[in-house]
Each structure stands twice: as C-alpha cells, then as structure tokens.
Amino acid sequence: MSESTTIFGLHAVRTLLQQRPERAALLILQKGRDDARIAEVLKLAQAKGIKIEMRDGKELDRIAGDERHQGACLQIRSVGVLGEGALDDLLDSLTTPPLLLVLDGVQDPHNLGACLRTADAAGVAAVIVPKDRAAGLSATVRKVASGAAETVPLIQVTNLARTLRWLKEREIWIVGTDDQAPHSLYASKLTGPLAVVLGAEGTGLRRLTRENCDALVSIPMRGVVESLNVSVATGVLLYEAVRQRQ
C-alpha cells in the first residue's frame, strides 16, 4: 500500500509534477508569492488537475519543519522503498547492461539524497541499501535528491552480502571502494553489467560486503585528507563508469 509524504522546495516539487504527476495529491503554495518559479509550479499543477491550496508562510513553515520550502510543499502518494523481490523484475526489464549503486550502511539522509541525485544523473538503474542501520526515504532525503528519489528505484534488502552473491550469479561485476585497495578506479574496468559498492561514512565497507566484491578500487588522494564524503566518492566512481561506458 502506498503511503503519503510531503516534499519541499521548488525544484523537487516541479520535478515530480513533470515526471510523476499521478502521485501528486495536494500542492500547497505560499500566499502572496507570485514570482516566475511559483507561477510555473502552479501552471503545472493546474494542467494536471491537481488540488491546490494557498496558505500563509507560517503554515508552510510548520509543515516543512526544519526544511526550506521556498513557498511550495507537495503532498504525494509515495511508493516508498522497494523490496528485494523487485530487483529481479527490474533487471529483467533492462535493455542495456545495468549500472547499479550499492550503499553499505549510509545513515546520513543528506548523503543518501545526494547519492540518489548523482545516481539519477549517471543513469543508474537502481540504488540498493540494507534495511538495518541505513537511511530510508525521508522528507530530507527527497528534498536533497531534488526529484531523483521519485525517478531512481531505492531497493532495501535484508542481507546485503547475500544480494551481492545473487548479483554475481546474474553475471554482474561487483566493484567495491577501499582506501587501501592496490588498484585505482582509473585502472579498473567499469564497463558491462556493474554494481558499484560504497561504504558508510567513516567506517567504509563491512567485512562481508568487502569479501563479496569481485574487485576493490581506490580513489587517488593527492592532498592531506584521507577520504572523501560518500556522496562525493559516489560521483567520482559513477562518472568514471559513465566515461568508460561511453
């Protein structure tokens, strides 16, 4: 059964109205705002027959909580995350070699949102996360993802190591990141059916996750910092894969 959630911010609201209007239930706009971006969102909602309400800024502040709403909130029928059973059907439906992103225990919702946004831009077929000790699809994640949470399937699995073994049975190459890996990602093959695996903030890949990777690669670090934020590392890895796959 679908659940109801609210997304905030003009870009996230506009993206959903453009790409998934059937999931929009109620658009709430701030009274007194008549700038071009608000007008665009209003026009989109009117064209799709979506219910619209005008409320004062304090009411939008209350709805959005700590989030920055920019004068627009959209209540949507959220499909939420998908179960691992959806992964088989998704892979069967693809007509090109899959590119998957696996996040091993990323708990910061801002990082998950940023990873989803990058995954959408890079053409990732799905993002896979464990059910436990990992961020889920919250309003913060959706806001940071700028609409990508509505376009990239997020699949939660009970046992990540088992899922990686299953992906290998489907002839998908599993590449994990490790600061101590002897090979740079730039010297590694990232073409064909591929799953890129990144670890949690600070701790990296768990042992069983690492052991179920076909290869481990590192990102060259030329400065004094020892590692990159997981969302930044995701961008580096995915776009090297995009470069090679072109």
Side-chain angles (χ1 to χ4, degrees):
M1 180 181 296
S2 63
E3 299 176 352
S4 176
T5 190
T6 304
I7 60 175
F8 314 102
L10 287 165
H11 182 79
V13 168
R14 183 180 68 247
T15 298
L16 189 132
L17 290 175
Q18 290 172 332
Q19 299 187 11
R20 298 289 189 274
E22 71 280 0
R23 291 174 53 195
L26 172 65
L27 175 64
I28 304 171
L29 297 177
Q30 183 174 337
K31 288 181 180 178
R33 286 198 54 169
D34 57 358
D35 55 87
R37 296 179 71 193
I38 288 286
E40 180 187 9
V41 167
L42 177 61
K43 185 177 179 180
L44 280 169
Q46 290 172 332
K48 301 296 182 179
I50 295 164
K51 184 179 179 181
I52 302 165
E53 292 184 2
M54 309 299 293
R55 302 184 188 178
D56 60 37
K58 289 184 178 180
E59 175 66 7
L60 267 74
D61 291 343
R62 184 192 65 77
I63 295 171
D66 294 333
E67 298 300 320
R68 184 164 174 259
H69 56 73
Q70 299 175 301
C73 301
L74 182 64
Q75 293 180 4
I76 65 172
R77 291 176 285 274
S78 173
V79 296
V81 297
L82 300 175
E84 50 198 297
L87 187 55
D88 200 22
D89 292 337
L90 185 147
L91 292 175
D92 286 341
S93 70
L94 298 178
T95 58
T96 57
L99 174 60
L100 303 172
L101 173 63
V102 181
L103 299 174
D104 184 16
V106 172
Q107 299 185 36
D108 186 324
H110 291 86
N111 280 338
L112 177 57
C115 288
L116 283 167
R117 184 173 182 172
T118 301
D120 175 84
V124 166
V127 175
I128 302 170
V129 299
K131 284 185 177 180
D132 297 328
R133 293 185 293 278
L137 272 185
S138 64
T140 298
V141 170
R142 293 180 187 276
K143 174 66 164 56
V144 174
S146 297
E150 318 310 326
T151 59
V152 180
L154 182 67
I155 297 176
Q156 283 185 336
V157 300
T158 303
N159 186 313
L160 188 58
R162 182 178 63 202
T163 298
L164 294 178
R165 291 192 294 269
W166 178 81
L167 289 174
K168 289 197 282 187
E169 290 175 0
R170 292 203 52 144
E171 300 183 343
I172 294 175
W173 187 248
I174 313 295
V175 175
T177 54
D178 190 309
D179 294 342
Q180 305 304 316
H183 302 293
S184 161
L185 79 154
Y186 300 115
S188 303
K189 182 180 178 182
L190 301 177
T191 56
L194 176 70
V196 173
V197 189
L198 291 99
E201 305 91 348
T203 58
L205 298 179
R206 291 176 293 174
R207 180 182 60 83
L208 284 176
T209 303
R210 185 184 296 106
E211 290 176 356
N212 279 283
C213 292
D214 293 306
L216 294 173
V217 301
S218 61
I219 298 175
M221 304 297 293
R222 303 302 187 211
V224 297
V225 298
E226 296 181 353
S227 63
L228 297 174
N229 173 279
V230 65
S231 64
V232 176
T234 294
V236 174
L237 265 292
L238 289 181
Y239 270 90
E240 174 58 15
V242 168
R243 185 192 70 81
Q244 292 189 22
R245 295 159 84 86
Q246 288 179 335

